[in-house]
Amino acid sequence: MSEAEFAAIALKVCLTVLIGFLFFIIWDLGRKAKVGKLGMFILFLVLGLGIAGFLFKNVLVGWFA
């Protein structure tokens, strides 16, 4: 396995773990703030859209490059 292959695999694995951890942080933040179901939905929607935008940007760059 070359260094480039390892870096590509490690990047995908680490980004997946980071995104999962960010969703855990969002959930924990909502739980500690004792928000209702609507508040939790809004937290996940707004903060999740930021993650989705980051991923969509990478897809677009890869598609057009």
Side-chain angles (χ1 to χ4, degrees):
M1 175 183 298
S2 71
E3 190 271 333
E5 292 172 337
F6 175 76
I9 292 170
L11 179 66
K12 289 176 186 171
V13 170
C14 290
L15 275 179
T16 303
V17 170
L18 178 66
I19 290 171
F21 185 60
L22 287 174
F23 275 109
F24 168 74
I25 291 171
I26 295 168
W27 174 78
D28 192 48
L29 177 70
R31 186 177 56 89
K32 287 183 180 177
K34 297 180 182 171
V35 298
K37 289 182 181 180
L38 179 63
M40 190 70 80
F41 173 75
I42 291 172
L43 276 173
F44 274 102
L45 179 69
V46 172
L47 297 175
L49 281 175
I51 295 169
F54 172 75
L55 294 174
F56 186 66
K57 177 194 66 114
N58 287 333
V59 169
L60 284 179
V61 167
W63 190 42
F64 286 119

